[in-house]
Amino acid sequence: DSGVTQTPKHLITATGQRVTLRCSPRSGDLSVYWYQQSLDQGLQFLIQYYNGEERAKGNILERFSAQQFPDLHSELNLSSLELGDSALYFCASSVGRGSSYEQYFGPGTRLTVT
Amino acid sequence: AQKITQTQPGMFVQEKEAVTLDCTYDTSDQSYGLFWYKQPSSGEMIFLIYQGSYDEQNATEGRYSLNFQKARKSANLVISASQLGDSAMYFCAMRGPISSGSARQLTFGSGTQLTVLP
């Protein structure tokens, strides 16, 4: 158990809908990262927050947005969903400083868009 | 830009044998970090081992060791005494320099599916 929690574990929804994925980082970790894992794109970095502020952006679509709240949990909002958004979405957390920056991953949310 | 290449889509190893999973990387940075993660069929990503570009010794964590050859830009994972529970997808990943924004994200390879045979 990495200490990172994600809800829900599975999500099935229809095209055009909007969903919210939730992540709670490990105790003491200030950084939260979101990744998308799909068969065709592999594992891709989406966005990072550090102590409530956006710090880095990767291949995140404009239809997607995220935020980190004062209690450090984070939410990833996916809107106007398309079939191609079906993927495993991971949240990871790290201390956000130090020499290694190792990231600990949550169990993921498997999103299926039908 | 950073790039990670894992050329072995699938590997088989006999139980109790050692296995090496290949990883090569491309970066123009002098400072970077290399990671290996394990993803069992259940889907979670498990951190295994980390190697910093300035670390003089190869990293080891239990049965895992990282064979770091900086000049060749390779960071192979060696698993000793394979166990059935080692069957999983293994991902090599890297981050950029701590001082740069690219430290804040991991770039992953395409993964190697390891199957341990009884």
Side-chain angles (χ1 to χ4, degrees), chain A residues 11-19 63 78-86 111-114:
Chain A
L11 199 48
I12 301 174
T13 190
T15 54
Q17 295 298 305
R18 171 189 169 95
V19 296
R63 301 183 285 109
L78 315 176
S79 62
S80 303
L81 285 167
E82 302 175 358
L83 295 177
D85 297 328
S86 295
L111 174 66
T112 303
V113 182
T114 61

Side-chain angles (χ1 to χ4, degrees), chain A residues 2 35 43 45 52 57 59 62 66 68 72 77 82 87 89 96 107:
Chain A
S2 67
Y35 292 87
L43 264 159
F45 168 72
K57 230 171 184 177
N59 298 320
E62 285 192 11
Q68 186 179 28
L72 300 178
N77 300 297
E82 302 175 358
Y89 291 85

Side-chain angles (χ1 to χ4, degrees), chain B residues 10-28:
Chain B
M11 288 278 287
F12 291 87
V13 65
Q14 210 67 40
E15 194 178 6
K16 300 180 185 176
E17 297 290 314
V19 63
T20 298
L21 306 183
D22 294 342
C23 171
T24 58
Y25 58 91
D26 191 20
T27 181
S28 56

Side-chain angles (χ1 to χ4, degrees), chain A:
Chain A
D1 186 346
S2 67
V4 179
T5 61
Q6 287 187 250
T7 56
K9 195 168 178 61
H10 299 279
L11 199 48
I12 301 174
T13 190
T15 54
Q17 295 298 305
R18 171 189 169 95
V19 296
T20 297
L21 313 183
R22 182 187 168 103
C23 166
S24 292
R26 293 187 317 160
S27 177
D29 285 356
L30 300 177
S31 271
V32 168
Y33 309 77
W34 287 96
Y35 292 87
Q36 179 195 58
Q37 185 178 30
S38 62
L39 284 175
D40 52 345
Q41 301 285 342
L43 264 159
Q44 288 197 102
F45 168 72
L46 296 178
I47 197 165
Q48 182 224 355
Y49 279 81
Y50 176 81
N51 204 18
E53 293 187 4
E54 181 187 306
R55 281 296 180 90
K57 230 171 184 177
N59 298 320
I60 187 166
L61 300 172
E62 285 192 11
R63 301 183 285 109
F64 296 0
S65 65
Q67 53 184 328
Q68 186 179 28
F69 295 87
D71 67 351
L72 300 178
H73 91 270
S74 178
E75 293 181 356
L76 179 66
N77 300 297
L78 315 176
S79 62
S80 303
L81 285 167
E82 302 175 358
L83 295 177
D85 297 328
S86 295
L88 186 54
Y89 291 85
F90 284 108
C91 166
S93 75
S94 75
V95 172
R97 57 185 179 274
S99 63
S100 64
Y101 272 71
E102 67 245 30
Q103 297 178 19
Y104 293 89
F105 283 69
T109 293
R110 187 168 295 280
L111 174 66
T112 303
V113 182
T114 61

Side-chain angles (χ1 to χ4, degrees), chain B residues 22-94:
Chain B
D22 294 342
C23 171
T24 58
Y25 58 91
D26 191 20
T27 181
S28 56
D29 296 316
Q30 296 302 307
S31 172
Y32 48 88
L34 296 155
F35 303 80
W36 278 91
Y37 285 85
K38 171 184 178 182
Q39 186 177 37
S41 58
S42 52
E44 72 267 33
M45 294 285 287
I46 303 167
F47 167 70
L48 295 179
I49 196 166
Y50 164 80
Q51 179 86 41
S53 58
Y54 292 122
D55 293 342
E56 294 186 351
Q57 293 195 331
N58 288 341
T60 60
E61 288 286 348
R63 294 185 299 109
Y64 303 108
S65 61
L66 201 153
N67 184 0
F68 180 47
Q69 298 188 44
K70 197 169 181 177
R72 293 186 175 187
K73 293 189 174 179
S74 75
N76 299 337
L77 177 70
V78 181
I79 306 175
S80 63
S82 296
Q83 302 172 354
L84 295 178
D86 293 334
S87 293
M89 182 74 87
Y90 288 82
F91 290 95
C92 181
M94 78 179 297

